[in-house]
Amino acid sequence: MVTEIRQPPLALPFYYGWVNVFIAALAMVGTLPGRTQGLGLITEPLLRDLQIDRVHFARINLWATLIGALFSIGVGRLIDRFGSRMVLTVVVVSLACVVLGMSAASSVIAIAVLITLTRGLGQSALSVVSITMVGQWFVRRLNLAMAAYTIALSIGFMLAFPLIGAIVLSNGWRTAWSIIGVALLVGLAPLALLLVRRSPEACSIDADGEPSSSKDASPSFTLSEALATPSFWVFGISSAVYGLIASGIALFNESILAERRFDASTYHRSLVIVALTSLVGNFLGGWIASKWKVNRLLAVAMVLLAGSLVALPHVSTQLHVAIYAAVMGLAGGFVIVIFFSYWSAAYGRQHLGKIQGVAQALTVIASRDGPLVLSETVSP
């Protein structure tokens, strides 16, 4: 009788979680067609193409965002049950099909349905999967991993937005959306299926030579237990408030600066400053979070955010605008790192998908209301 001897899994020269970080960052960039900024790239040509007035389109977007936020809750349960690889692959393929369908849509009803699906699958579902993937792997180095993740996705968005914008200008919005759909289908989906692993337990030894299963000794909260803690609402509402403010100002920032007698070029320069200082905030926030309690870092972020808002109505020079943009970007970089890293560190990995989904739904709803709140409080 021959006894089969199984060899133990080979130790990789690096921790496999970093592969998941890379794919997760790509996945977050893949949410572009479901985000307000991504939809903004095609709004004007789409309205002209389908003869839709702005008020009607705004209503479509409002309901699409609200309904799409519900996907954040549902996808969390699927992640906890089936794992991030399967859910990520299915969500990416579904989003790709929706984006390709939208590129060929010719009626207002079809556009309304497809925008709702891009919001649900992109802004909500794919975002939750992306964030959860990192939280499921890292414990000791979670803050470092989230800092690397946010820097990677920030660079990805900085490259994607001008590229897609150039395609829209040169070839039209339908061509741009077709390219995005194909990229998701033949690029991101195969990477998700082939490279993503569900959890560290799939690899026995990490780069430090320690059994990966020994790292997650923290307790795992259920969704109801997490919702019963004050910290969930402190961090969730703080992140949502930032999303509300950032979305409102992002949409109307050019008008706000024009009210202070600055031209469009000043607005464009401020966007660059916000993007660069946000990257600095991602890296610095990850480092500070490894030294401080994360509630202190959140307090600093909220103070910086409040300070930038108080200063905004009083900016009068180019230097003032640069300082305002830098503080706003730094605060945003801190909040992003905190939002991405807090949930798994505080509540464990077992039910992370559901918990992360509810937190994401809060930010999506707040981001939806940001432009409305700002427009209602600005005099005509």
Side-chain angles (χ1 to χ4, degrees):
M1 181 178 180
V2 179
T3 302
E4 180 182 0
I5 300 177
R6 294 187 178 183
Q7 296 295 327
L10 294 176
L12 296 174
F14 60 91
Y15 186 47
Y16 198 84
W18 295 110
V19 176
N20 271 28
V21 169
F22 174 73
I23 302 299
L26 286 181
M28 186 60 80
V29 176
T31 66
L32 183 147
R35 293 189 169 277
T36 300
Q37 297 92 332
L39 188 60
L41 294 174
I42 67 168
T43 295
E44 295 303 323
L46 186 151
L47 295 181
R48 291 193 297 267
D49 187 6
L50 298 179
Q51 298 297 305
I52 306 175
D53 66 83
R54 297 180 187 279
V55 175
H56 192 188
F57 186 75
R59 290 172 180 166
I60 290 173
N61 181 64
L62 180 69
W63 284 104
T65 306
L66 180 61
I67 296 171
L70 300 176
F71 285 59
S72 297
I73 301 173
V75 76
R77 297 181 181 276
L78 295 177
I79 295 170
D80 293 336
R81 181 172 182 181
F82 298 107
S84 53
R85 176 169 63 175
M86 179 180 296
V87 177
L88 176 61
T89 304
V90 171
V91 171
V92 169
V93 171
S94 300
L95 179 61
C97 293
V98 169
V99 172
L100 289 171
M102 187 171 167
S103 70
S106 58
S107 70
V108 176
I109 294 177
I111 285 293
V113 172
L114 292 169
I115 288 179
T116 300
L117 290 175
T118 60
R119 289 294 200 181
L121 292 169
Q123 185 180 35
S124 295
L126 190 53
S127 294
V128 172
V129 181
S130 173
I131 300 169
T132 304
M133 284 170 58
V134 183
Q136 285 179 328
W137 274 80
F138 288 86
V139 177
R140 292 179 307 168
R141 292 168 288 181
L142 179 61
N143 293 321
L144 176 61
M146 284 300 181
Y149 166 74
T150 51
I151 290 171
L153 69 88
S154 296
I155 293 173
F157 276 124
M158 290 173 65
L159 295 175
F161 280 123
L163 176 61
I164 298 302
I167 296 174
V168 172
L169 291 176
S170 60
N171 299 100
W173 75 271
R174 294 184 184 274
T175 299
W177 246 227
S178 296
I179 291 173
I180 293 175
V182 171
L184 290 170
L185 194 61
V186 304
L188 181 56
L191 289 176
L193 183 62
L194 297 175
L195 297 181
V196 172
R197 296 293 179 267
R198 177 168 183 161
S199 67
E201 284 72 25
C203 303
S204 62
I205 299 176
D206 72 359
D208 296 330
E210 296 181 6
S212 60
S213 60
S214 68
K215 295 181 182 181
D216 194 18
S218 59
S220 290
F221 287 66
T222 64
L223 175 60
S224 59
E225 290 171 342
L227 294 178
T229 62
S231 59
F232 178 92
W233 297 104
V234 170
F235 283 83
I237 292 175
S238 296
S239 301
V241 167
Y242 169 76
L244 183 145
I245 293 169
S247 64
I249 290 181
L251 195 61
F252 295 109
N253 205 12
E254 184 173 358
S255 299
I256 293 171
L257 292 177
E259 188 178 299
R260 301 299 304 160
R261 296 184 175 82
F262 293 103
D263 57 17
S265 62
T266 301
Y267 162 65
H268 294 151
R269 285 194 295 271
S270 73
L271 291 179
V272 175
I273 294 172
V274 169
L276 292 177
T277 54
S278 180
L279 284 176
V280 174
N282 294 154
F283 183 80
L284 185 60
W287 179 79
I288 293 175
S290 66
K291 308 294 183 182
W292 281 13
K293 290 183 178 180
V294 72
N295 60 320
R296 295 180 181 177
L297 180 59
L298 180 63
V300 171
M302 292 296 103
V303 169
L304 291 174
L305 180 61
S308 67
L309 293 177
V310 170
L312 180 56
H314 306 288
V315 296
S316 57
T317 68
Q318 294 289 338
L319 178 61
H320 291 167
V321 175
I323 294 174
Y324 148 74
V327 175
M328 190 77 174
L330 192 63
F334 287 169
V335 172
I336 290 170
V337 169
I338 294 167
F339 181 79
F340 288 167
S341 61
Y342 175 72
W343 313 107
S344 60
Y347 301 113
R349 297 183 307 177
Q350 188 174 351
H351 304 284
L352 180 60
K354 291 188 284 291
I355 295 170
Q356 194 92 58
V358 174
Q360 179 70 16
L362 290 176
T363 63
V364 171
I365 293 172
S367 297
R368 177 209 67 179
D369 292 336
L372 179 62
V373 171
L374 185 60
S375 62
E376 290 289 346
T377 55
V378 174
S379 59

